Amino acid sequence: MAGLLLLCTASALLLTAVGAIPPPEEAARMARFVLHSCDWGALATLSAQEGLRGRPFANIFSLSDGPPGPFGGSGVPYLYLTDMEISVQDLEVNSNASLTVSLAQTPYCRRHRYDPQNPLCAHIIFVGSIVKVNDSEAVLAKKALFSRHPEMESWPKDHNWFFAKFNITNIWVLDYFGGLKTVTPEEYYSVKP
């Protein structure tokens, strides 16, 4: 076990030395990196549906914090939603939610043979609420989402799609052994990705 831990530690240090991912001591940068690397996340709401009311309900949503590339991310998770979707109906009753993104969604963890539950396969848990964006921010959200999810432009217009964002209030980072790290929204938005 000690040998495996040493091997994982050496591997993580080597990756950070070549700039592949932020080092474990930079949790805010890691959170920005992981979000920007992911095209989707698991959004958990409190169900408002009959028979499930008040129970946790998780669903997958496409998201984007900006166009792909090393400097394209704003850190704001944008979503393209419709009131017809069951989780959005939950959010209309209670806008509080959590959002999880993981490097398991990228080739990174497979390439390094990290199980998605391995802390070295970093994942971030955001807590906050979903809010519709205003018209000026909708331009940013559209560019962010449609650059990564071009199919969205052709989704049925009669579904009344709208742009929303995840308004972050709390952030937890699991990217190394030893447990979760907390990052404030202020720390998160102040670092360069």
Side-chain angles (χ1 to χ4, degrees), residues 5 40 59 65 90 95 101 106 116 157 161 171-172 177 192:
L5 182 59
W40 57 273
N59 207 342
D65 79 330
D90 295 342
S95 65
V101 291
T106 71
K157 301 295 181 211
W161 296 96
I171 305 164
W172 288 274
F177 301 98
K192 295 187 184 215

Side-chain angles (χ1 to χ4, degrees), residues 62-128:
S62 299
L63 56 83
S64 176
D65 79 330
F71 304 107
S74 66
V76 177
Y78 289 110
L79 302 104
Y80 197 41
L81 304 174
T82 172
D83 293 330
M84 298 173 79
E85 207 287 323
I86 191 168
S87 295
V88 176
Q89 294 169 16
D90 295 342
L91 293 166
E92 289 170 347
V93 174
N94 183 343
S95 65
N96 293 311
S98 66
L99 173 68
T100 301
V101 291
S102 169
L103 286 181
Q105 301 166 30
T106 71
Y108 176 81
C109 295
R110 285 186 300 278
R111 187 170 52 240
H112 293 93
R113 296 183 179 199
Y114 295 149
D115 185 88
Q117 199 170 329
N118 182 329
L120 297 177
C121 185
H123 70 270
I124 314 303
I125 303 165
F126 298 98
V127 171

